[in-house]
Amino acid sequence: MLGLLVIGFAIQLMHAQEIELPEVNIDVNYKYLEAIDSEEVAESVKMLEKEVAFYDLKESDFYNDEYDKYNVSFYCPEGSIIAAYNKEGRILNTVEKFKNIKLQKTVIRSILEQYPNWDIIENGYKVYYFGSTGNAKKEYKVKLKKEDKIKTLKFNNDNDFL
């Protein structure tokens, strides 16, 4: 008798747990996420780039389907992203600028190999995403210091010095 009572309550609880989740469109800006490939970048950069990718333009207060293009700015303490969206919410292009972020291991390794005993005193990271081609251009600018000498290096994501 007790077993039947427990089974009866369990069946009622199972039906009470059904939750309908809202529909989410996750493929809108997948090309952007693939192009920026931000696995090794600083966590703050990753978070802001994800916010840009999953931003729901149509839910914003300023959305009006009469306009073809929207520029939206996103900020974090280390930098900002300005993203241009079309009226469907697809990213057309971005300009991303960050200062003094944690550099990727490959970037640090490349600098240390060519400039041993130099200290990194400042850095900048820029990303330009072009939605028409689905490509992203990434640039680093690093300021080094050794005693009273200062050098500024610029290179791309392939560690090619510019």
Side-chain angles (χ1 to χ4, degrees):
M1 197 58 119
L2 183 62
L4 289 174
L5 185 62
V6 170
I7 291 172
F9 280 123
I11 290 172
Q12 285 182 352
L13 288 175
M14 286 182 2
H15 290 292
Q17 295 296 323
E18 291 179 20
I19 301 170
E20 188 171 322
L21 297 174
E23 187 175 316
V24 177
N25 187 3
I26 60 170
D27 70 334
V28 173
N29 291 307
Y30 72 92
K31 286 183 181 179
Y32 168 72
L33 290 172
E34 287 178 354
I36 58 171
D37 184 34
S38 58
E39 279 194 29
E40 285 191 41
V41 297
E43 197 61 36
S44 57
V45 175
K46 280 188 213 181
M47 289 176 51
L48 201 58
E49 287 174 337
K50 284 181 183 176
E51 188 175 333
V52 169
F54 294 109
Y55 181 71
D56 191 351
L57 178 69
K58 292 181 179 181
E59 293 298 318
S60 65
D61 292 338
F62 56 84
Y63 178 77
N64 183 336
D65 66 356
E66 292 178 19
Y67 301 114
D68 293 330
K69 185 177 176 184
Y70 295 86
N71 290 325
V72 182
S73 299
F74 299 84
Y75 299 95
C76 71
E78 291 83 8
S80 65
I81 299 176
I82 299 173
Y85 295 88
N86 67 11
K87 63 182 172 183
E88 285 81 33
R90 293 208 189 278
I91 298 174
L92 301 172
N93 54 55
T94 66
V95 176
E96 308 177 24
K97 296 180 182 182
F98 299 92
K99 283 190 90 165
N100 297 321
I101 61 168
K102 181 181 176 185
L103 294 172
Q104 296 178 15
K105 292 175 187 176
T106 56
V107 171
I108 294 171
R109 194 174 310 122
S110 179
I111 293 170
L112 292 175
E113 286 173 2
Q114 294 196 18
Y115 298 94
N117 302 321
W118 286 73
D119 295 322
I120 299 172
I121 57 172
E122 192 175 299
N123 72 65
Y125 175 61
K126 293 181 183 179
V127 180
Y128 303 95
Y129 170 72
F130 308 98
S132 59
T133 62
N135 294 323
K137 178 182 173 186
K138 301 175 186 180
E139 295 178 356
Y140 292 92
K141 184 177 179 181
V142 179
K143 195 179 278 190
L144 304 175
K145 184 175 183 179
K146 182 177 180 181
E147 298 168 5
D148 60 343
K149 297 176 190 170
I150 294 180
K151 270 188 196 266
T152 301
L153 308 176
K154 288 185 180 183
F155 49 96
N156 63 21
N157 201 48
D158 296 325
N159 295 326
D160 297 328
F161 289 92
L162 305 174

